PDB file of all heavy atoms in Angstrom:
ATOM      1  N   LEU A  35       0.834  -1.210  -0.040  1.00 94.00           N
ATOM      2  CA  LEU A  35      -0.023  -0.002  -0.031  1.00 94.00           C
ATOM      3  C   LEU A  35       0.870   1.261  -0.002  1.00 94.00           C
ATOM      4  O   LEU A  35       0.591   2.207  -0.713  1.00 94.00           O
ATOM      5  CB  LEU A  35      -0.966   0.042   1.188  1.00 94.00           C
ATOM      6  CG  LEU A  35      -2.222  -0.768   1.117  1.00 94.00           C
ATOM      7  CD1 LEU A  35      -3.028  -0.723   2.366  1.00 94.00           C
ATOM      8  CD2 LEU A  35      -3.075  -0.240  -0.047  1.00 94.00           C
ATOM      9  N   ALA A  36       1.866   1.281   0.869  1.00 95.00           N
ATOM     10  CA  ALA A  36       2.733   2.456   0.864  1.00 95.00           C
ATOM     11  C   ALA A  36       3.438   2.699  -0.437  1.00 95.00           C
ATOM     12  O   ALA A  36       3.511   3.908  -0.911  1.00 95.00           O
ATOM     13  CB  ALA A  36       3.819   2.252   2.017  1.00 95.00           C
ATOM     14  N   MET A  37       3.888   1.709  -1.178  1.00 95.00           N
ATOM     15  CA  MET A  37       4.563   1.821  -2.460  1.00 95.00           C
ATOM     16  C   MET A  37       3.504   2.378  -3.455  1.00 95.00           C
ATOM     17  O   MET A  37       3.821   3.284  -4.243  1.00 95.00           O
ATOM     18  CB  MET A  37       5.144   0.500  -2.942  1.00 95.00           C
ATOM     19  CG  MET A  37       6.349   0.050  -2.150  1.00 95.00           C
ATOM     20  SD  MET A  37       7.006  -1.466  -2.862  1.00 95.00           S
ATOM     21  CE  MET A  37       7.877  -0.768  -4.297  1.00 95.00           C
ATOM     22  N   LEU A  38       2.267   1.819  -3.447  1.00 93.00           N
ATOM     23  CA  LEU A  38       1.242   2.225  -4.363  1.00 93.00           C
ATOM     24  C   LEU A  38       0.912   3.668  -4.173  1.00 93.00           C
ATOM     25  O   LEU A  38       0.789   4.466  -5.110  1.00 93.00           O
ATOM     26  CB  LEU A  38       0.014   1.392  -4.309  1.00 93.00           C
ATOM     27  CG  LEU A  38       0.255  -0.181  -4.666  1.00 93.00           C
ATOM     28  CD1 LEU A  38      -1.003  -0.977  -4.410  1.00 93.00           C
ATOM     29  CD2 LEU A  38       0.622  -0.271  -6.139  1.00 93.00           C
ATOM     30  N   VAL A  39       0.720   4.045  -2.917  1.00 94.00           N
ATOM     31  CA  VAL A  39       0.319   5.441  -2.613  1.00 94.00           C
ATOM     32  C   VAL A  39       1.480   6.362  -3.078  1.00 94.00           C
ATOM     33  O   VAL A  39       1.253   7.403  -3.655  1.00 94.00           O
ATOM     34  CB  VAL A  39       0.058   5.598  -1.100  1.00 94.00           C
ATOM     35  CG1 VAL A  39      -0.024   7.073  -0.677  1.00 94.00           C
ATOM     36  CG2 VAL A  39      -1.217   4.880  -0.686  1.00 94.00           C
ATOM     37  N   ALA A  40       2.707   6.071  -2.771  1.00 94.00           N
ATOM     38  CA  ALA A  40       3.857   6.893  -3.173  1.00 94.00           C
ATOM     39  C   ALA A  40       3.915   7.051  -4.635  1.00 94.00           C
ATOM     40  O   ALA A  40       4.347   8.143  -5.157  1.00 94.00           O
ATOM     41  CB  ALA A  40       5.160   6.251  -2.566  1.00 94.00           C
ATOM     42  N   ALA A  41       3.493   5.998  -5.385  1.00 92.00           N
ATOM     43  CA  ALA A  41       3.518   6.059  -6.834  1.00 92.00           C
ATOM     44  C   ALA A  41       2.280   6.682  -7.437  1.00 92.00           C
ATOM     45  O   ALA A  41       2.186   6.818  -8.677  1.00 92.00           O
ATOM     46  CB  ALA A  41       3.714   4.675  -7.399  1.00 92.00           C
ATOM     47  N   GLY A  42       1.307   7.068  -6.606  1.00 89.00           N
ATOM     48  CA  GLY A  42       0.067   7.606  -7.055  1.00 89.00           C
ATOM     49  C   GLY A  42      -0.880   6.657  -7.764  1.00 89.00           C
ATOM     50  O   GLY A  42      -1.655   7.072  -8.571  1.00 89.00           O
ATOM     51  N   LEU A  43      -0.765   5.387  -7.425  1.00 88.00           N
ATOM     52  CA  LEU A  43      -1.654   4.366  -7.984  1.00 88.00           C
ATOM     53  C   LEU A  43      -2.875   4.046  -7.135  1.00 88.00           C
ATOM     54  O   LEU A  43      -2.771   4.320  -5.883  1.00 88.00           O
ATOM     55  CB  LEU A  43      -0.824   3.072  -8.190  1.00 88.00           C
ATOM     56  CG  LEU A  43       0.314   3.211  -9.203  1.00 88.00           C
ATOM     57  CD1 LEU A  43       1.181   2.018  -9.127  1.00 88.00           C
ATOM     58  CD2 LEU A  43      -0.246   3.465 -10.611  1.00 88.00           C
ATOM     59  N   PRO A  44      -3.995   3.629  -7.691  1.00 87.00           N
ATOM     60  CA  PRO A  44      -5.189   3.404  -6.878  1.00 87.00           C
ATOM     61  C   PRO A  44      -5.080   2.304  -5.860  1.00 87.00           C
ATOM     62  O   PRO A  44      -4.479   1.300  -6.091  1.00 87.00           O
ATOM     63  CB  PRO A  44      -6.203   3.045  -7.958  1.00 87.00           C
ATOM     64  CG  PRO A  44      -5.531   2.730  -9.195  1.00 87.00           C
ATOM     65  CD  PRO A  44      -4.113   3.239  -9.056  1.00 87.00           C
ATOM     66  N   THR A  45      -5.588   2.584  -4.699  1.00 89.00           N
ATOM     67  CA  THR A  45      -5.634   1.645  -3.505  1.00 89.00           C
ATOM     68  C   THR A  45      -6.894   1.426  -2.844  1.00 89.00           C
ATOM     69  O   THR A  45      -7.060   0.523  -2.129  1.00 89.00           O
ATOM     70  CB  THR A  45      -4.531   2.114  -2.511  1.00 89.00           C
ATOM     71  OG1 THR A  45      -5.041   3.327  -1.965  1.00 89.00           O
ATOM     72  CG2 THR A  45      -3.151   2.180  -3.112  1.00 89.00           C
ATOM     73  N   THR A  46      -7.805   2.364  -3.132  1.00 87.00           N
ATOM     74  CA  THR A  46      -9.092   2.301  -2.210  1.00 87.00           C
ATOM     75  C   THR A  46      -9.910   1.010  -2.294  1.00 87.00           C
ATOM     76  O   THR A  46     -10.599   0.699  -1.323  1.00 87.00           O
ATOM     77  CB  THR A  46      -9.981   3.488  -2.544  1.00 87.00           C
ATOM     78  OG1 THR A  46     -10.382   3.404  -3.921  1.00 87.00           O
ATOM     79  CG2 THR A  46      -9.351   4.799  -2.296  1.00 87.00           C
ATOM     80  N   ASP A  47      -9.723   0.287  -3.287  1.00 86.00           N
ATOM     81  CA  ASP A  47     -10.524  -0.939  -3.448  1.00 86.00           C
ATOM     82  C   ASP A  47      -9.718  -2.133  -2.984  1.00 86.00           C
ATOM     83  O   ASP A  47     -10.258  -3.262  -2.998  1.00 86.00           O
ATOM     84  CB  ASP A  47     -11.019  -1.196  -4.873  1.00 86.00           C
ATOM     85  CG  ASP A  47      -9.891  -1.372  -5.844  1.00 86.00           C
ATOM     86  OD1 ASP A  47      -8.790  -0.764  -5.664  1.00 86.00           O
ATOM     87  OD2 ASP A  47     -10.130  -2.084  -6.889  1.00 86.00           O
ATOM     88  N   LEU A  48      -8.474  -1.983  -2.531  1.00 88.00           N
ATOM     89  CA  LEU A  48      -7.656  -3.168  -2.148  1.00 88.00           C
ATOM     90  C   LEU A  48      -7.953  -3.445  -0.647  1.00 88.00           C
ATOM     91  O   LEU A  48      -8.083  -2.636   0.161  1.00 88.00           O
ATOM     92  CB  LEU A  48      -6.156  -2.803  -2.342  1.00 88.00           C
ATOM     93  CG  LEU A  48      -5.703  -2.587  -3.776  1.00 88.00           C
ATOM     94  CD1 LEU A  48      -4.290  -2.098  -3.764  1.00 88.00           C
ATOM     95  CD2 LEU A  48      -5.983  -3.819  -4.565  1.00 88.00           C
ATOM     96  N   THR A  49      -8.062  -4.759  -0.333  1.00 85.00           N
ATOM     97  CA  THR A  49      -8.295  -5.220   0.975  1.00 85.00           C
ATOM     98  C   THR A  49      -7.377  -6.385   1.284  1.00 85.00           C
ATOM     99  O   THR A  49      -6.549  -6.738   0.433  1.00 85.00           O
ATOM    100  CB  THR A  49      -9.760  -5.789   1.051  1.00 85.00           C
ATOM    101  OG1 THR A  49      -9.849  -6.926   0.239  1.00 85.00           O
ATOM    102  CG2 THR A  49     -10.790  -4.800   0.626  1.00 85.00           C
ATOM    103  N   ALA A  50      -7.418  -6.953   2.451  1.00 84.00           N
ATOM    104  CA  ALA A  50      -6.597  -8.002   2.865  1.00 84.00           C
ATOM    105  C   ALA A  50      -6.797  -9.222   1.913  1.00 84.00           C
ATOM    106  O   ALA A  50      -5.803 -10.027   1.681  1.00 84.00           O
ATOM    107  CB  ALA A  50      -6.935  -8.494   4.304  1.00 84.00           C
ATOM    108  N   GLN A  51      -7.929  -9.391   1.334  1.00 86.00           N
ATOM    109  CA  GLN A  51      -8.181 -10.413   0.380  1.00 86.00           C
ATOM    110  C   GLN A  51      -7.481 -10.215  -1.018  1.00 86.00           C
ATOM    111  O   GLN A  51      -7.325 -11.120  -1.812  1.00 86.00           O
ATOM    112  CB  GLN A  51      -9.686 -10.619   0.126  1.00 86.00           C
ATOM    113  CG  GLN A  51     -10.453 -11.210   1.272  1.00 86.00           C
ATOM    114  CD  GLN A  51     -10.662 -10.262   2.420  1.00 86.00           C
ATOM    115  OE1 GLN A  51     -10.814  -9.087   2.194  1.00 86.00           O
ATOM    116  NE2 GLN A  51     -10.576 -10.698   3.663  1.00 86.00           N
ATOM    117  N   SER A  52      -6.917  -8.991  -1.201  1.00 88.00           N
ATOM    118  CA  SER A  52      -6.296  -8.698  -2.410  1.00 88.00           C
ATOM    119  C   SER A  52      -4.838  -9.172  -2.503  1.00 88.00           C
ATOM    120  O   SER A  52      -4.365  -9.612  -3.453  1.00 88.00           O
ATOM    121  CB  SER A  52      -6.204  -7.182  -2.641  1.00 88.00           C
ATOM    122  OG  SER A  52      -7.458  -6.529  -2.686  1.00 88.00           O
ATOM    123  N   TRP A  53      -4.189  -9.300  -1.309  1.00 89.00           N
ATOM    124  CA  TRP A  53      -2.806  -9.608  -1.222  1.00 89.00           C
ATOM    125  C   TRP A  53      -2.370 -10.922  -1.808  1.00 89.00           C
ATOM    126  O   TRP A  53      -1.308 -11.026  -2.497  1.00 89.00           O
ATOM    127  CB  TRP A  53      -2.190  -9.331   0.107  1.00 89.00           C
ATOM    128  CG  TRP A  53      -2.505  -7.994   0.624  1.00 89.00           C
ATOM    129  CD1 TRP A  53      -3.052  -7.727   1.907  1.00 89.00           C
ATOM    130  CD2 TRP A  53      -2.513  -6.784   0.033  1.00 89.00           C
ATOM    131  NE1 TRP A  53      -3.307  -6.399   1.979  1.00 89.00           N
ATOM    132  CE2 TRP A  53      -2.917  -5.710   0.849  1.00 89.00           C
ATOM    133  CE3 TRP A  53      -2.092  -6.334  -1.345  1.00 89.00           C
ATOM    134  CZ2 TRP A  53      -2.977  -4.423   0.492  1.00 89.00           C
ATOM    135  CZ3 TRP A  53      -2.086  -5.019  -1.662  1.00 89.00           C
ATOM    136  CH2 TRP A  53      -2.584  -4.063  -0.764  1.00 89.00           C
ATOM    137  N   PRO A  54      -3.176 -12.010  -1.728  1.00 89.00           N
ATOM    138  CA  PRO A  54      -2.826 -13.309  -2.298  1.00 89.00           C
ATOM    139  C   PRO A  54      -2.802 -13.271  -3.854  1.00 89.00           C
ATOM    140  O   PRO A  54      -2.212 -14.135  -4.495  1.00 89.00           O
ATOM    141  CB  PRO A  54      -3.883 -14.188  -1.729  1.00 89.00           C
ATOM    142  CG  PRO A  54      -4.430 -13.599  -0.487  1.00 89.00           C
ATOM    143  CD  PRO A  54      -4.350 -12.177  -0.731  1.00 89.00           C
ATOM    144  N   HIS A  55      -3.342 -12.235  -4.348  1.00 93.00           N
ATOM    145  CA  HIS A  55      -3.368 -12.060  -5.818  1.00 93.00           C
ATOM    146  C   HIS A  55      -2.093 -11.136  -6.345  1.00 93.00           C
ATOM    147  O   HIS A  55      -2.118 -10.799  -7.467  1.00 93.00           O
ATOM    148  CB  HIS A  55      -4.672 -11.444  -6.405  1.00 93.00           C
ATOM    149  CG  HIS A  55      -5.836 -12.274  -6.109  1.00 93.00           C
ATOM    150  ND1 HIS A  55      -6.086 -13.416  -6.799  1.00 93.00           N
ATOM    151  CD2 HIS A  55      -6.784 -12.212  -5.068  1.00 93.00           C
ATOM    152  CE1 HIS A  55      -7.178 -14.016  -6.314  1.00 93.00           C
ATOM    153  NE2 HIS A  55      -7.555 -13.317  -5.269  1.00 93.00           N
ATOM    154  N   PHE A  56      -1.219 -10.750  -5.399  1.00 96.00           N
ATOM    155  CA  PHE A  56      -0.086  -9.964  -5.742  1.00 96.00           C
ATOM    156  C   PHE A  56       1.200 -10.836  -5.656  1.00 96.00           C
ATOM    157  O   PHE A  56       1.218 -11.780  -4.936  1.00 96.00           O
ATOM    158  CB  PHE A  56       0.037  -8.777  -4.722  1.00 96.00           C
ATOM    159  CG  PHE A  56      -0.644  -7.580  -5.103  1.00 96.00           C
ATOM    160  CD1 PHE A  56      -2.123  -7.526  -4.942  1.00 96.00           C
ATOM    161  CD2 PHE A  56      -0.019  -6.474  -5.587  1.00 96.00           C
ATOM    162  CE1 PHE A  56      -2.750  -6.405  -5.281  1.00 96.00           C
ATOM    163  CE2 PHE A  56      -0.735  -5.310  -5.913  1.00 96.00           C
ATOM    164  CZ  PHE A  56      -2.088  -5.307  -5.772  1.00 96.00           C
ATOM    165  N   LEU A  57       2.135 -10.526  -6.500  1.00 97.00           N
ATOM    166  CA  LEU A  57       3.435 -10.997  -6.445  1.00 97.00           C
ATOM    167  C   LEU A  57       4.309  -9.845  -6.024  1.00 97.00           C
ATOM    168  O   LEU A  57       4.043  -8.672  -6.318  1.00 97.00           O
ATOM    169  CB  LEU A  57       3.933 -11.417  -7.806  1.00 97.00           C
ATOM    170  CG  LEU A  57       3.198 -12.628  -8.413  1.00 97.00           C
ATOM    171  CD1 LEU A  57       3.717 -12.947  -9.749  1.00 97.00           C
ATOM    172  CD2 LEU A  57       3.325 -13.876  -7.501  1.00 97.00           C
ATOM    173  N   VAL A  58       5.434 -10.147  -5.248  1.00 97.00           N
ATOM    174  CA  VAL A  58       6.360  -9.074  -4.832  1.00 97.00           C
ATOM    175  C   VAL A  58       7.761  -9.469  -5.114  1.00 97.00           C
ATOM    176  O   VAL A  58       8.075 -10.611  -5.313  1.00 97.00           O
ATOM    177  CB  VAL A  58       6.230  -8.946  -3.253  1.00 97.00           C
ATOM    178  CG1 VAL A  58       4.811  -8.305  -2.906  1.00 97.00           C
ATOM    179  CG2 VAL A  58       6.497 -10.226  -2.529  1.00 97.00           C
ATOM    180  N   GLY A  59       8.521  -8.414  -5.327  1.00 96.00           N
ATOM    181  CA  GLY A  59       9.968  -8.587  -5.583  1.00 96.00           C
ATOM    182  C   GLY A  59      10.686  -8.165  -4.378  1.00 96.00           C
ATOM    183  O   GLY A  59      10.379  -7.103  -3.713  1.00 96.00           O
ATOM    184  N   ARG A  60      11.589  -8.968  -3.927  1.00 93.00           N
ATOM    185  CA  ARG A  60      12.433  -8.732  -2.707  1.00 93.00           C
ATOM    186  C   ARG A  60      13.896  -8.742  -2.962  1.00 93.00           C
ATOM    187  O   ARG A  60      14.376  -9.439  -3.805  1.00 93.00           O
ATOM    188  CB  ARG A  60      12.013  -9.703  -1.703  1.00 93.00           C
ATOM    189  CG  ARG A  60      10.688  -9.890  -1.291  1.00 93.00           C
ATOM    190  CD  ARG A  60      10.430 -10.973  -0.185  1.00 93.00           C
ATOM    191  NE  ARG A  60       9.090 -11.351  -0.084  1.00 93.00           N
ATOM    192  CZ  ARG A  60       8.209 -10.766   0.680  1.00 93.00           C
ATOM    193  NH1 ARG A  60       8.485  -9.630   1.219  1.00 93.00           N
ATOM    194  NH2 ARG A  60       6.959 -11.160   0.713  1.00 93.00           N
ATOM    195  N   ASP A  61      14.624  -8.021  -2.115  1.00 90.00           N
ATOM    196  CA  ASP A  61      16.036  -8.195  -1.975  1.00 90.00           C
ATOM    197  C   ASP A  61      16.243  -8.503  -0.450  1.00 90.00           C
ATOM    198  O   ASP A  61      16.145  -7.530   0.327  1.00 90.00           O
ATOM    199  CB  ASP A  61      16.808  -6.969  -2.322  1.00 90.00           C
ATOM    200  CG  ASP A  61      18.307  -7.061  -2.339  1.00 90.00           C
ATOM    201  OD1 ASP A  61      18.799  -8.228  -2.037  1.00 90.00           O
ATOM    202  OD2 ASP A  61      18.982  -6.192  -2.665  1.00 90.00           O
ATOM    203  N   GLY A  62      16.366  -9.786  -0.127  1.00 86.00           N
ATOM    204  CA  GLY A  62      16.332 -10.120   1.290  1.00 86.00           C
ATOM    205  C   GLY A  62      14.988  -9.866   1.841  1.00 86.00           C
ATOM    206  O   GLY A  62      13.907 -10.273   1.236  1.00 86.00           O
ATOM    207  N   ALA A  63      14.949  -9.081   2.980  1.00 85.00           N
ATOM    208  CA  ALA A  63      13.544  -8.792   3.575  1.00 85.00           C
ATOM    209  C   ALA A  63      12.930  -7.573   2.968  1.00 85.00           C
ATOM    210  O   ALA A  63      11.713  -7.282   3.227  1.00 85.00           O
ATOM    211  CB  ALA A  63      13.770  -8.634   5.090  1.00 85.00           C
ATOM    212  N   ALA A  64      13.727  -6.776   2.151  1.00 89.00           N
ATOM    213  CA  ALA A  64      13.176  -5.502   1.670  1.00 89.00           C
ATOM    214  C   ALA A  64      12.279  -5.755   0.483  1.00 89.00           C
ATOM    215  O   ALA A  64      12.568  -6.403  -0.484  1.00 89.00           O
ATOM    216  CB  ALA A  64      14.335  -4.677   1.211  1.00 89.00           C
ATOM    217  N   LEU A  65      11.071  -5.246   0.547  1.00 94.00           N
ATOM    218  CA  LEU A  65      10.095  -5.260  -0.538  1.00 94.00           C
ATOM    219  C   LEU A  65      10.424  -4.159  -1.533  1.00 94.00           C
ATOM    220  O   LEU A  65      10.476  -2.987  -1.124  1.00 94.00           O
ATOM    221  CB  LEU A  65       8.696  -5.048  -0.001  1.00 94.00           C
ATOM    222  CG  LEU A  65       7.561  -5.296  -0.995  1.00 94.00           C
ATOM    223  CD1 LEU A  65       7.283  -6.751  -1.055  1.00 94.00           C
ATOM    224  CD2 LEU A  65       6.315  -4.521  -0.564  1.00 94.00           C
ATOM    225  N   LEU A  66      10.772  -4.562  -2.741  1.00 96.00           N
ATOM    226  CA  LEU A  66      11.148  -3.577  -3.741  1.00 96.00           C
ATOM    227  C   LEU A  66      10.215  -3.390  -4.896  1.00 96.00           C
ATOM    228  O   LEU A  66      10.303  -2.440  -5.684  1.00 96.00           O
ATOM    229  CB  LEU A  66      12.519  -4.068  -4.374  1.00 96.00           C
ATOM    230  CG  LEU A  66      13.614  -4.157  -3.385  1.00 96.00           C
ATOM    231  CD1 LEU A  66      14.837  -4.768  -4.029  1.00 96.00           C
ATOM    232  CD2 LEU A  66      13.972  -2.882  -2.660  1.00 96.00           C
ATOM    233  N   GLY A  67       9.115  -4.224  -5.043  1.00 96.00           N
ATOM    234  CA  GLY A  67       8.238  -4.054  -6.083  1.00 96.00           C
ATOM    235  C   GLY A  67       6.988  -4.950  -5.863  1.00 96.00           C
ATOM    236  O   GLY A  67       7.077  -5.924  -5.085  1.00 96.00           O
ATOM    237  N   ALA A  68       5.922  -4.688  -6.640  1.00 97.00           N
ATOM    238  CA  ALA A  68       4.741  -5.513  -6.485  1.00 97.00           C
ATOM    239  C   ALA A  68       3.874  -5.437  -7.758  1.00 97.00           C
ATOM    240  O   ALA A  68       3.976  -4.409  -8.461  1.00 97.00           O
ATOM    241  CB  ALA A  68       3.959  -5.128  -5.284  1.00 97.00           C
ATOM    242  N   VAL A  69       3.130  -6.414  -8.028  1.00 97.00           N
ATOM    243  CA  VAL A  69       2.207  -6.323  -9.148  1.00 97.00           C
ATOM    244  C   VAL A  69       1.007  -7.277  -8.752  1.00 97.00           C
ATOM    245  O   VAL A  69       1.210  -8.342  -8.087  1.00 97.00           O
ATOM    246  CB  VAL A  69       2.771  -6.811 -10.465  1.00 97.00           C
ATOM    247  CG1 VAL A  69       3.201  -8.276 -10.416  1.00 97.00           C
ATOM    248  CG2 VAL A  69       1.828  -6.598 -11.598  1.00 97.00           C
ATOM    249  N   GLY A  70      -0.198  -6.857  -9.090  1.00 95.00           N
ATOM    250  CA  GLY A  70      -1.381  -7.653  -8.739  1.00 95.00           C
ATOM    251  C   GLY A  70      -2.150  -8.186  -9.986  1.00 95.00           C
ATOM    252  O   GLY A  70      -1.937  -7.611 -11.076  1.00 95.00           O
ATOM    253  N   LEU A  71      -2.900  -9.140  -9.823  1.00 94.00           N
ATOM    254  CA  LEU A  71      -3.714  -9.735 -10.813  1.00 94.00           C
ATOM    255  C   LEU A  71      -5.151  -9.868 -10.212  1.00 94.00           C
ATOM    256  O   LEU A  71      -5.331 -10.483  -9.219  1.00 94.00           O
ATOM    257  CB  LEU A  71      -3.211 -11.114 -11.222  1.00 94.00           C
ATOM    258  CG  LEU A  71      -4.048 -11.821 -12.291  1.00 94.00           C
ATOM    259  CD1 LEU A  71      -4.092 -11.122 -13.617  1.00 94.00           C
ATOM    260  CD2 LEU A  71      -3.588 -13.279 -12.445  1.00 94.00           C
ATOM    261  N   GLU A  72      -6.114  -9.242 -10.900  1.00 90.00           N
ATOM    262  CA  GLU A  72      -7.488  -9.363 -10.439  1.00 90.00           C
ATOM    263  C   GLU A  72      -8.171 -10.244 -11.484  1.00 90.00           C
ATOM    264  O   GLU A  72      -8.472  -9.783 -12.616  1.00 90.00           O
ATOM    265  CB  GLU A  72      -8.121  -7.914 -10.467  1.00 90.00           C
ATOM    266  CG  GLU A  72      -9.361  -7.669  -9.751  1.00 90.00           C
ATOM    267  CD  GLU A  72      -9.792  -6.287  -9.745  1.00 90.00           C
ATOM    268  OE1 GLU A  72      -9.073  -5.426  -9.198  1.00 90.00           O
ATOM    269  OE2 GLU A  72     -10.899  -6.009 -10.165  1.00 90.00           O
ATOM    270  N   PRO A  73      -8.410 -11.566 -11.136  1.00 89.00           N
ATOM    271  CA  PRO A  73      -9.056 -12.403 -12.044  1.00 89.00           C
ATOM    272  C   PRO A  73     -10.561 -12.085 -12.203  1.00 89.00           C
ATOM    273  O   PRO A  73     -11.257 -11.797 -11.288  1.00 89.00           O
ATOM    274  CB  PRO A  73      -8.853 -13.819 -11.357  1.00 89.00           C
ATOM    275  CG  PRO A  73      -8.479 -13.525 -10.017  1.00 89.00           C
ATOM    276  CD  PRO A  73      -8.107 -12.136  -9.787  1.00 89.00           C
ATOM    277  N   HIS A  74     -10.924 -12.254 -13.578  1.00 86.00           N
ATOM    278  CA  HIS A  74     -12.322 -12.108 -13.854  1.00 86.00           C
ATOM    279  C   HIS A  74     -12.730 -13.092 -14.902  1.00 86.00           C
ATOM    280  O   HIS A  74     -12.142 -13.215 -15.993  1.00 86.00           O
ATOM    281  CB  HIS A  74     -12.542 -10.646 -14.441  1.00 86.00           C
ATOM    282  CG  HIS A  74     -12.373  -9.623 -13.430  1.00 86.00           C
ATOM    283  ND1 HIS A  74     -13.378  -9.275 -12.549  1.00 86.00           N
ATOM    284  CD2 HIS A  74     -11.356  -8.815 -13.095  1.00 86.00           C
ATOM    285  CE1 HIS A  74     -12.937  -8.340 -11.714  1.00 86.00           C
ATOM    286  NE2 HIS A  74     -11.696  -8.088 -12.061  1.00 86.00           N
ATOM    287  N   ASP A  75     -13.696 -13.888 -14.575  1.00 79.00           N
ATOM    288  CA  ASP A  75     -14.116 -15.102 -15.337  1.00 79.00           C
ATOM    289  C   ASP A  75     -12.884 -15.852 -15.665  1.00 79.00           C
ATOM    290  O   ASP A  75     -11.896 -15.703 -15.062  1.00 79.00           O
ATOM    291  CB  ASP A  75     -15.058 -14.799 -16.546  1.00 79.00           C
ATOM    292  CG  ASP A  75     -14.305 -14.066 -17.749  1.00 79.00           C
ATOM    293  OD1 ASP A  75     -13.147 -14.443 -18.051  1.00 79.00           O
ATOM    294  OD2 ASP A  75     -14.897 -13.299 -18.420  1.00 79.00           O
ATOM    295  N   HIS A  76     -12.962 -16.878 -16.536  1.00 78.00           N
ATOM    296  CA  HIS A  76     -11.875 -17.711 -16.743  1.00 78.00           C
ATOM    297  C   HIS A  76     -10.924 -17.343 -17.917  1.00 78.00           C
ATOM    298  O   HIS A  76      -9.919 -17.873 -18.115  1.00 78.00           O
ATOM    299  CB  HIS A  76     -12.381 -19.162 -17.101  1.00 78.00           C
ATOM    300  CG  HIS A  76     -13.081 -19.841 -16.007  1.00 78.00           C
ATOM    301  ND1 HIS A  76     -12.548 -20.102 -14.784  1.00 78.00           N
ATOM    302  CD2 HIS A  76     -14.387 -20.200 -15.884  1.00 78.00           C
ATOM    303  CE1 HIS A  76     -13.401 -20.605 -14.032  1.00 78.00           C
ATOM    304  NE2 HIS A  76     -14.554 -20.720 -14.667  1.00 78.00           N
TER     305      HIS A  76
END
């Protein structure tokens, strides 16, 4: 959320149920990037 807000990207519809649909990039424990997938139909 902090990264998305800092980048000016939308966050108001994201909830705890959203995070399993995200992938993150890390360097050790540091979170360096993220991307989400919102599935719709098959």
Side-chain angles (χ1 to χ4, degrees):
L35 277 175
M37 290 183 77
L38 296 174
V39 168
L43 295 170
T45 61
T46 57
D47 64 328
L48 297 175
T49 67
Q51 288 74 37
S52 303
W53 308 132
H55 298 284
F56 272 74
L57 297 177
V58 293
R60 302 180 196 279
D61 185 2
L65 188 85
L66 301 176
V69 63
L71 176 66
E72 195 175 302
H74 293 279
D75 72 36
H76 295 297

